[in-house]
Amino acid sequence: NLEAHGSSPVWCVRSEWGIKNRIRDFLCKVDRELIVFCRSPDLLIEHKAEMKKVVGLSIKVDKKEKFEGLGFEILEMKEGAERFFKDSIIDGISNRIDALMIADGRSSIVVGTMGGERLAIIIKLPVIAMLQKAVWESMV
């Protein structure tokens, strides 16, 4: 059973207000496990209250020192894992992933920038969440 927004299990949110609200909604629906990769402490600060309510919270970051003092248990991804999240240029368009959140192995949200535009991609496909989780686990 796919819970989809409209008729699609994948959609994109482009406004900053929409992104924040979609993340908040996403976090409030986590039942047992939230896996987070994050490059910006701002995202964790903004959504700290919702994240603190999650029992099975695991956070990995690119550089641990940027996240000190936030009150979260944080792991730094192993050397070499940055290849999964490095900034890239594809077809002349710059791309950056700032965060990836996977909820209960069923859905995910990717927050980043594409061609200078900030956006969030919501994916409610368990097979994609499973693949994203496998990448996340390889960063330990």
Side-chain angles (χ1 to χ4, degrees):
N1 181 21
L2 293 176
E3 178 191 331
H5 183 73
S7 61
S8 175
V10 179
W11 71 97
C12 185
V13 178
R14 289 190 159 85
S15 74
E16 197 60 39
W17 179 87
I19 292 169
K20 287 177 182 180
N21 280 334
R22 184 52 54 196
I23 292 171
R24 206 166 282 118
D25 181 59
F26 182 84
L27 293 173
C28 288
K29 291 180 180 170
V30 176
D31 287 328
R32 63 186 184 282
E33 177 189 55
L34 177 65
I35 294 173
V36 177
F37 167 74
C38 193
R39 291 172 69 179
S40 167
D42 295 341
L43 189 95
L44 296 183
I45 293 166
E46 172 95 26
H47 300 285
K48 186 173 184 173
E50 294 95 346
M51 287 186 172
K52 286 286 189 181
K53 293 176 186 173
V54 176
V55 175
L57 177 63
S58 301
I59 301 173
K60 285 188 187 153
V61 300
D62 56 344
K63 305 249 185 291
K64 200 171 180 178
E65 60 271 5
K66 293 190 302 190
F67 296 84
E68 289 176 359
L70 294 183
F72 290 107
E73 187 176 322
I74 292 181
L75 298 170
E76 189 170 85
M77 65 181 178
K78 69 180 179 186
E79 199 169 322
E82 68 276 357
R83 72 183 182 278
F84 295 119
F85 293 98
K86 69 178 184 179
D87 296 358
S88 63
I89 297 177
I90 301 169
D91 296 332
I93 298 171
S94 64
N95 299 279
R96 175 185 171 90
I97 295 174
D98 293 318
L100 163 64
M101 299 180 192
I102 306 165
D104 301 322
R106 293 191 313 248
S107 60
S108 63
I109 186 166
V110 179
V111 180
T113 306
M114 186 184 307
E117 181 182 23
R118 188 149 166 83
L119 51 83
I121 301 165
I122 295 88
I123 305 168
K124 297 208 174 196
L125 292 169
V127 68
I128 300 299
M130 180 185 70
L131 291 169
Q132 290 170 322
K133 185 176 178 180
V135 169
W136 188 88
E137 287 171 348
S138 74
M139 297 186 319
V140 176

